[in-house]
Amino acid sequence: MTGQKPPHDPRGDNGQNQPPDTGAGMTALSYLIAGILVWGGIGWLVDYFVGTTGIFAGIGAVLGVAGGVYLIVRRLGA
Amino acid sequence: MVIGQSTVLAAAFPPSVEDFYLPSILPWGEHNAYWFTKITVLVWVAVAAIIIFFLMSYRKPQLVPTKKQWLAESIYGFVRNNIAVDMIGPQGVRFAPYLTTLFMFILVNNFFGILPLVQISPMSHIAFPAVLAVVSYVMFIWVGIRKHGIGYFKMAVVPNAPLGILPLLVPIEIFSNFLVRPFSLAVRLFANMFAGHMLLLVFTLGGFAMINANVLLAPVSVLSWVLTIAITFLEFMVICLQAYVFTVLTASYVQGSLADEH
């Protein structure tokens, strides 16, 4: 019938729609936590073997946060 | 007092993890056998219900859908368009069946948590979310290897960054992509369902504990039971949200595996 064209994209999957940022928050959080845990953990191991009481764990955690933030900017930033 | 004790069967007030381990059905009443319990039954009921529902809805598909067909198509359409295609892009359509199955399975199993007279979710035992997380984990790695070959691991682990700080970043990427992901998928769903069940237990049993301790506390007990109903509605929200989040994150991980080199 005239005037009854089927919708342009009835199935909604043949456009070039970019995936939105859902889940980006989860990724960001996981990078931050992973950063702290990995480098904090490595620092803790260094502490354990060197015999210091926590200085390397602290440095490691700070380094890890820095790395995590850097990764978030790289992977999620503009 | 008698009412209180007879209604809630042998439930001690501060509810504990023991309350999640229900007596065995086969062999009947056994306390240290966990092979066939209410949880087992619920999982199979969920599986059967989903299969039967979708089979019945699609048995005689009509151009103008019946109500049941409309519901089934809406569920599939929602996951397909709003999760699979939105997250992964046009090639996400081939993951829609898995994602829909995952979504429905989690949703129905979670819903047992607030279904009157059932009121415990299999997902409040970490084994079930853990297996689902492993399935999704293996799948997104497999998809990545299929698409990029063994270079997938390099892509997933080595970010686009100056060589100097790569040693700092690569361990974080490995940890975050291959260790945190399955763990957080499983724990998020499990913890939500566990906490929800615990919360309902605290408010229900707490009401009985207070009324048993002192009759003057009866109004507070009633308040506690009213709040149980309110929390049940809150739980309904959590149930839908967690099923959605698990599915969306799985889709997001698959999208990461399919992404082009950056």
Side-chain angles (χ1 to χ4, degrees):
Chain A
M1 275 178 260
T2 44
Q4 283 208 345
K5 269 204 296 185
H8 172 62
D9 184 9
R11 284 146 65 93
D13 59 2
N14 47 9
Q16 290 297 313
N17 43 358
Q18 290 296 310
D21 281 345
T22 328
M26 229 46 108
T27 315
L29 192 64
S30 109
Y31 275 138
L32 273 185
I33 293 174
I36 297 173
L37 285 185
V38 169
W39 285 104
I42 292 175
W44 182 81
L45 280 180
V46 172
D47 273 333
Y48 183 79
F49 286 114
V50 174
T52 43
T53 49
I55 175 76
F56 286 108
I59 293 173
V62 172
L63 268 182
V65 170
V69 170
Y70 185 86
L71 273 176
I72 293 169
V73 173
R74 263 296 145 106
R75 292 254 156 152
L76 304 174
Chain B
M1 272 200 260
V2 178
I3 298 173
Q5 280 158 3
S6 60
T7 315
V8 178
L9 298 157
F13 170 54
S16 68
V17 179
E18 283 305 305
D19 292 321
F20 287 82
Y21 291 94
L22 302 166
S24 168
I25 291 176
L26 264 180
W28 180 259
E30 198 76 28
H31 267 277
N32 285 317
Y34 298 116
W35 290 107
F36 195 83
T37 63
K38 184 175 169 183
I39 303 287
T40 328
V41 175
L42 289 179
V43 172
W44 288 114
V45 166
V47 170
I50 294 169
I51 291 176
I52 291 171
F53 171 69
F54 277 101
L55 279 184
M56 295 234 314
S57 314
Y58 280 133
R59 199 172 45 179
K60 277 188 237 136
Q62 315 272 316
L63 197 57
V64 179
T66 57
K67 200 181 270 178
K68 210 184 296 160
Q69 189 189 343
W70 172 81
L71 187 61
E73 282 177 359
S74 301
I75 295 168
Y76 180 68
F78 167 72
V79 177
R80 178 182 189 278
N81 295 339
N82 293 22
I83 298 180
V85 173
D86 264 8
M87 297 292 304
I88 307 176
Q91 51 187 341
V93 174
R94 64 193 167 105
F95 296 101
Y98 170 68
L99 293 175
T100 312
T101 315
L102 188 67
F103 179 73
M104 283 307 288
F105 184 70
I106 296 174
L107 188 68
V108 172
N109 273 309
N110 281 358
F111 188 71
F112 285 137
I114 59 165
L115 190 66
L117 300 178
V118 178
Q119 279 168 328
I120 185 164
S121 170
M123 294 298 168
S124 60
H125 286 261
I126 196 162
F128 297 100
V131 169
L132 293 180
V134 166
V135 171
S136 288
Y137 180 66
V138 170
M139 190 183 77
F140 83 73
I141 293 177
W142 174 247
V143 164
I145 294 176
R146 278 278 296 272
K147 164 110 182 178
H148 300 287
I150 221 67
Y152 163 69
F153 288 105
K154 181 176 173 292
M155 186 198 94
V157 153
V158 182
N160 181 19
L163 204 62
I165 53 170
L166 277 185
L168 180 71
L169 301 182
V170 169
I172 301 180
E173 287 275 25
I174 294 174
F175 192 72
S176 153
N177 289 350
F178 293 111
L179 295 174
V180 171
R181 276 180 180 184
F183 185 75
S184 70
L185 266 184
V187 168
R188 185 180 303 109
L189 178 56
F190 154 73
N192 271 285
M193 298 327 293
F194 183 91
H197 187 64
M198 205 50 134
L199 207 56
L200 289 175
L201 278 180
V202 165
F203 275 80
T204 318
L205 300 180
F208 285 109
M210 283 190 285
I211 209 169
N212 281 344
N214 189 340
V215 183
L216 287 177
L217 285 173
V220 192
S221 294
V222 172
L223 178 69
S224 166
W225 292 325
V226 170
L227 279 176
T228 308
I229 297 170
I231 290 172
T232 301
F233 284 103
L234 179 76
E235 274 306 299
F236 179 68
M237 217 175 69
V238 173
I239 281 164
C240 299
L241 196 66
Q242 288 308 316
Y244 178 75
V245 164
F246 198 107
T247 319
V248 162
L249 284 177
T250 301
S252 144
Y253 297 156
V254 169
Q255 190 268 328
S257 297
L258 287 174
D260 297 318
E261 303 261 358
H262 39 192

